[in-house]
Amino acid sequence: MTDTPEAFDAVEVIATKRDGGRLSDPQIDWVVDAYTRGVVADEQMSALAMAILLNGMERPEIARWTAAMIASGERMDFSSLSRPTADKHSTGGVGDKITLPLAPLVAACGVAVPQLSGRGLGHTGGTLDKLEAIPGWRAELSNAEILAQLEDVGAVICAAGKGLAPADKKLYALRDVTGTVEAIPLIASSIMSKKIAEGTGTLVLDVKVGSGAFMKDLEQATELAETMVALGTDAGVRTVALLTDMSVPLGLTAGNAVEVAESVEVLAGGGPRDVVELTIALAREMVAAAGRDDVDPADALADGRAMDFWRRMISAQGGDPDAPLPTPRETQVVTAPTTGVLTGLDALGVGVAAWRLGAGRSRPGEQVQAAAGVVLHATVGDRVVEGQPLLTLQTDTPERFARAEQALEGAITVGPDGQEPSARQVVLQRIDR
Ligand code: URA
């Protein structure tokens, strides 16, 4: 410890926000830096995060907070690449495997995709956990390997290095255990600090809305999307957001290996309609934002080019794209409770069930099961007959079935014939500036 005086006192900064005040630029710079250095204690940062959750932040405060988190670490630079770069970030959902087909698809359109991803915590799955179901695939790459793969293949999905926005890593872990994840200023600054530090030229945000998402309604999701689009644009990153439905799971799978298999189906020209629709919608946004509006991603999906890029992307990271994916030791089928029309299949219930089956973790660092998850045999709007299989639960540890079934209580609703719900809209709104 040195005796050098600190610029501020943590209690004074907390009290400013507790009393509904606006944090000054020097206060923000200091508190983010001092927390990263360990001078501001976890309990003090928790109090400040709760005050921010309750009293909010003005746009200039959020921008400064984001800049301070970026300044806590390194910034990557892709300007030496021969292609423009575009990245996508999803705020997290159930069955959200879109990154898997999307990255090779966009690369096939001549735009490089540096997709630095995370692992799942809670009911939303992690892209790296899914890809680790592929035998041999490696998530950890050095910055030099990322750059080389972007030049050679055009797409990389890997773990974000420890050097990017370390203030966010520490703060996110604290928010996770202090009930302060759901603050819009903190979510927006957390996501955008990582994406701006990553160095992508353009960014497309997939902001999920519905029971399986952080943002349960359109109003909150719009506020989050507008805040992030403004942060990105002001930082010189062309940023666009799509608000997309997360009231039911995306596609017919939630888990790890099962989501890889479904992504490969999409790349092979099949797959569920909603996954294909969202993959193409996001790819079009990324390609257009990167200045390549002369190409249509739908063509690159249809003619097999995206599949070629997938195979090269997986092989470049040690994975075998032809290896059989892990299968579960145990399965259990959930059947339709009655005959009629499937009117609801709650995303949160399915996500929690997949998580409890072993697809996700309840503590950072825990091992996930590659073969765990949920496979759906029907989607909302389908006619179902009492006793017909609706879902298959998969796990290596059958003692998990009971808790997974509990998560599904009330998640499945079957209505009388003639009460078919209106067709689901996947993309709800687009936000640009
Ligand atoms: N994802 C992030 O990276 N940060 C948040 O705060 C929420 C979701």
Side-chain angles (χ1 to χ4, degrees):
M1 278 300 239
T2 70
D3 282 341
T4 317
E6 292 289 335
F8 291 92
D9 182 76
V11 179
E12 179 192 317
V13 179
I14 298 164
T16 304
K17 193 41 81 182
R18 179 200 63 199
D19 298 339
R22 180 177 163 166
L23 300 180
S24 67
D25 289 353
Q27 277 181 317
I28 292 173
D29 294 349
W30 175 79
V31 81
V32 171
D33 174 59
Y35 178 59
T36 312
R37 286 186 285 122
V39 167
V40 168
D42 276 348
E43 56 271 28
Q44 293 177 312
M45 195 49 131
S46 314
L48 181 58
M50 187 58 83
I52 292 171
L53 183 139
L54 296 173
N55 290 329
M57 271 179 155
E58 292 176 20
R59 284 277 171 87
E61 285 178 287
I62 305 175
R64 191 69 180 206
W65 189 277
T66 306
M69 294 219 290
I70 295 169
S72 73
E74 61 176 350
R75 284 185 84 149
M76 294 187 70
D77 180 8
F78 298 128
S79 59
S80 62
L81 292 176
S82 56
R83 281 169 275 202
T85 50
D87 193 5
K88 184 264 320 186
H89 182 85
S90 156
T91 55
V94 176
D96 184 4
K97 71 275 301 167
I98 302 294
T99 295
L100 277 57
L102 181 67
L105 174 58
V106 172
C109 296
V111 176
V113 186
Q115 184 79 56
L116 306 191
S117 300
R119 291 175 195 283
L121 185 66
H123 74 276
T124 61
T127 298
L128 304 180
D129 296 326
K130 294 170 198 182
L131 284 167
E132 278 174 346
I134 301 173
W137 189 83
R138 189 164 62 93
E140 314 290 333
L141 299 185
S142 67
N143 289 357
E145 285 174 318
I146 294 173
L147 209 60
Q149 188 171 324
L150 280 175
E151 191 58 51
D152 295 349
V153 181
V156 61
I157 305 176
C158 67
K162 290 190 178 44
L164 282 187
D168 175 63
K169 284 207 175 60
K170 199 171 170 192
L171 180 56
Y172 189 81
L174 184 73
R175 288 165 57 212
D176 202 32
V177 294
T178 55
T180 51
V181 169
E182 284 81 359
I184 287 177
L186 296 179
I187 298 178
S189 54
S190 165
I191 292 173
M192 295 308 294
S193 62
K194 285 174 286 203
K195 290 293 152 182
I196 296 167
E198 172 197 287
T200 184
T202 58
L203 176 64
V204 176
L205 297 161
D206 180 1
V207 179
K208 302 287 186 198
V209 192
S211 77
F214 283 129
M215 299 293 117
K216 307 293 180 200
D217 63 53
L218 205 56
E219 198 186 331
Q220 283 179 313
T222 305
E223 189 187 334
L224 175 62
E226 284 175 351
T227 307
M228 292 195 291
V229 168
L231 286 172
T233 310
D234 291 347
V237 179
R238 165 115 182 83
T239 309
V240 175
L242 296 185
L243 303 190
T244 70
D245 178 53
M246 189 28 71
S247 56
V248 297
L250 255 179
L252 295 172
T253 57
N256 296 317
V258 287
E259 291 199 36
V260 174
E262 191 168 78
S263 303
V264 172
E265 271 175 44
V266 170
L267 289 161
R273 184 193 61 84
D274 57 348
V275 180
V276 176
E277 187 182 325
L278 186 53
T279 302
I280 292 179
L282 288 165
R284 284 186 174 142
E285 292 289 350
M286 289 167 76
V287 166
R292 292 296 311 264
D293 27 24
D294 52 318
V295 284
D296 185 359
D299 297 335
L301 190 60
D303 66 16
R305 269 178 294 151
M307 178 66 103
D308 295 340
F309 275 78
W310 161 262
R311 295 176 64 81
R312 289 172 57 205
M313 179 182 83
I314 296 301
S315 305
Q317 286 170 248
D320 178 356
D322 298 315
L325 291 166
T327 50
R329 277 193 218 122
E330 307 280 344
T331 59
Q332 187 166 300
V333 173
V334 176
T335 57
T338 173
T339 296
V341 178
L342 189 60
T343 48
L345 196 53
D346 183 60
L348 184 61
V350 174
V352 173
W355 173 33
R356 289 184 180 170
L357 288 164
R361 51 177 69 77
S362 42
R363 281 190 313 278
E366 210 171 53
Q367 279 283 329
V368 299
Q369 295 181 18
V374 178
V375 178
L376 314 182
H377 305 297
T379 53
V380 168
D382 287 353
R383 185 158 199 287
V384 295
V385 176
E386 183 179 341
Q388 100 174 47
L390 275 191
L391 319 174
T392 299
L393 311 183
Q394 304 192 163
T395 185
D396 293 334
T397 40
E399 60 277 16
R400 291 173 177 265
F401 283 132
R403 294 254 300 139
E405 279 182 314
Q406 269 171 18
L408 290 167
E409 275 166 22
I412 300 167
T413 45
V414 179
D417 285 330
Q419 284 200 356
E420 285 77 4
S422 44
R424 175 172 171 227
Q425 216 185 322
V426 181
V427 178
L428 305 171
Q429 217 168 297
R430 178 178 189 279
I431 293 178
D432 196 353
R433 208 167 73 160

